[in-house]
């Protein structure tokens, strides 16, 4: 009953706003905003299980979901959905976008690798077209501490690389920055929110690879693919070794390499996301 009241109240408020806008429109000949422009970007399936659901007065199939989700099982290998729901298994009507690999830092990896243009799929790429000591990016040369105290924040690393001009074209971060999944239903997973994982992140992904791959296998019908372990199995990180090279990880055996050139070695890229 509470949910119904919230739906009705939200619709009445929105309807009143729509009528007010219509009066202005009649005087100014301005097109009224669409449901999407008013914030009604979800469907009934997206809002399933949420506490508050507002319906667009001009198209009741368009909704705005508010409140807490039906499930927040934030555990290793959990499925992250496009509306922010996290659950240990499949939820009918919801669209998955990633797999949780770091519970403490609330990080999830995308369901697939990305190509150089940011589209989902396999394909190796250079880190960049040329190289320099990237401003505001740490040089992390001590392999024994690399996943503990240096270059840990993939989001900050990615932002620094995107802002640099001396690396030429930064293929790897450009790819993740351009990545967009059609299953995203909220702001946190939109284009520009995904980033290139740090070496710490890649090491965590490798450590729990079997659990992560089990979840990815469960989602193959949704376009998911397992982490690359054969053939081209290196993955770029956003952690810099020095001006000429960046760290990458061999997903087949977990070995880390810091001396391979940014502009001379092709590796896989898998976006990650904070939620």
């Amino acid at each position: 009953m509470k949910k119904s009241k919230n739906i009705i109240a939200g619709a009445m408020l929105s309807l009143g706003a729509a009528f007010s806008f219509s009066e202005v429109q009649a005087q100014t000949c301005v097109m009224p905003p669409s449901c999407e422009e008013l914030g009604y970007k979800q469907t009934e399936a997206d809002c399933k299980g949420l506490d508050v659901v507002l319906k667009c007065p001009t198209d009741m199939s368009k909704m705005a979901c508010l409140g807490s989700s039906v499930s927040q099982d934030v555990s290793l290998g959990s499925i992250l959905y496009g509306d922010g729901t996290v659950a240990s298994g499949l939820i009918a009507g919801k669209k998955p976008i990633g797999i949780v690999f770091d519970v403490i830092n609330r990080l999830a990896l995308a369901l697939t690798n990305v190509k150089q243009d940011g589209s989902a799929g396999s394909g190796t790429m250079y880190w960049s077209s040329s190289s320099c000591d990237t401003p505001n990016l740490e040089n992390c040369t001590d392999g024994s501490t690399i996943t503990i105290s240096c270059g840990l924040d993939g989001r900050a690393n990615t932002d620094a690389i995107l802002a640099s001009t001396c690396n030429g074209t930064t293929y790897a971060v450009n790819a993740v920055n351009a990545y967009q999944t059609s299953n995203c239903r909220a702001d946190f997973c939109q284009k520009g929110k995904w980033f290139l994982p740090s070496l710490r992140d890649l090491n965590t992904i490798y450590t729990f690879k079997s659990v992560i791959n089990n979840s990815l296998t469960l989602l193959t019908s949704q376009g998911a693919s397992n982490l690359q372990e054969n053939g081209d199995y290196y993955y770029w990180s956003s952690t810099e070794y020095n001006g000429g090279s960046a760290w990458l990880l061999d997903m087949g055996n977990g070995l880390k390499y810091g001396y391979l050139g940014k502009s001379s070695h092709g590796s896989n890229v898998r976006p990650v996301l904070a939620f």
Side-chain angles (χ1 to χ4, degrees):
M1 181 62 70
K2 177 183 176 182
K3 183 183 295 186
S4 298
K5 290 180 178 179
N6 285 326
I7 293 173
I8 295 171
M12 291 178 66
L13 288 172
S14 300
L15 188 59
F19 283 139
S20 297
F21 195 91
S22 297
E23 294 174 1
V24 174
Q25 182 203 6
Q27 299 173 23
T28 62
C29 297
V30 176
M31 289 296 292
S34 66
C35 289
E36 287 77 9
E37 291 171 329
L38 289 171
Y40 298 95
K41 299 179 179 181
Q42 284 87 31
T43 65
E44 184 175 359
D46 297 326
C47 298
K48 183 178 179 181
L50 298 183
D51 296 331
V52 181
V53 180
L54 306 180
K55 294 186 177 182
C56 181
T58 58
D59 184 350
M60 300 295 276
S61 69
K62 299 292 190 302
M63 304 180 186
C65 313
L66 306 173
S68 59
S69 63
V70 65
S71 177
Q72 286 295 319
D73 181 9
V74 183
S75 57
L76 181 65
S78 292
I79 300 171
L80 174 64
Y81 292 89
D83 63 353
T85 298
V86 185
S88 59
L90 294 171
I91 300 178
K94 290 187 179 290
K95 301 293 186 179
I97 61 170
I99 304 298
V100 176
F101 71 89
D102 186 331
V103 174
I104 295 175
N105 295 295
R106 294 180 67 89
L107 299 176
L109 78 162
L111 299 183
T112 69
N113 291 349
V114 291
K115 300 177 183 179
Q116 192 166 297
D117 63 359
S119 61
S122 60
T124 61
M125 67 194 77
Y126 293 151
W127 199 87
S128 61
S129 62
S130 58
S131 59
C132 69
D133 191 359
T134 309
N136 301 313
L137 196 64
E138 294 179 271
N139 287 160
C140 301
T141 59
D142 185 350
S144 64
T145 62
I146 193 69
T147 60
I148 301 173
S149 60
C150 189
L152 304 183
D153 189 339
R155 177 72 267 169
N157 294 347
T158 296
D159 289 342
I161 298 164
L162 286 171
S164 73
T165 57
C166 55
N167 281 303
T169 303
T170 49
Y171 301 116
V173 297
N174 286 359
V176 297
N177 196 54
Y179 177 63
Q180 175 70 69
T181 169
S182 60
N183 289 343
C184 178
R185 296 290 185 271
D187 180 67
F188 80 98
C189 54
Q190 295 293 329
K191 180 179 178 180
K193 297 300 180 72
W194 299 82
F195 55 90
L196 189 64
S198 67
L199 187 62
R200 186 272 311 269
D201 297 334
L202 287 179
N203 190 68
T204 302
I205 292 167
Y206 173 77
T207 300
F208 301 113
K209 179 177 62 176
S210 60
V211 176
I212 293 168
N213 275 341
N214 285 341
S215 295
L216 288 168
T217 299
L218 184 66
L219 299 174
T220 52
S221 63
Q222 304 286 337
S225 60
N226 284 11
L227 293 160
Q228 192 76 22
E229 299 178 77
N230 301 303
D232 295 316
Y233 36 70
Y234 296 102
Y235 280 82
W236 278 122
S237 80
S238 58
T239 305
E240 193 173 62
Y241 180 84
N242 58 26
S245 58
W247 285 93
L248 49 78
L249 182 139
D250 182 335
M251 201 58 70
N253 57 28
L255 294 179
K256 309 170 188 68
Y257 300 89
Y259 55 83
L260 296 176
K262 296 176 180 177
S263 58
S264 61
H265 190 83
S267 292
N268 293 294
V269 170
R270 174 90 57 147
V272 298
L273 178 73
F275 63 94

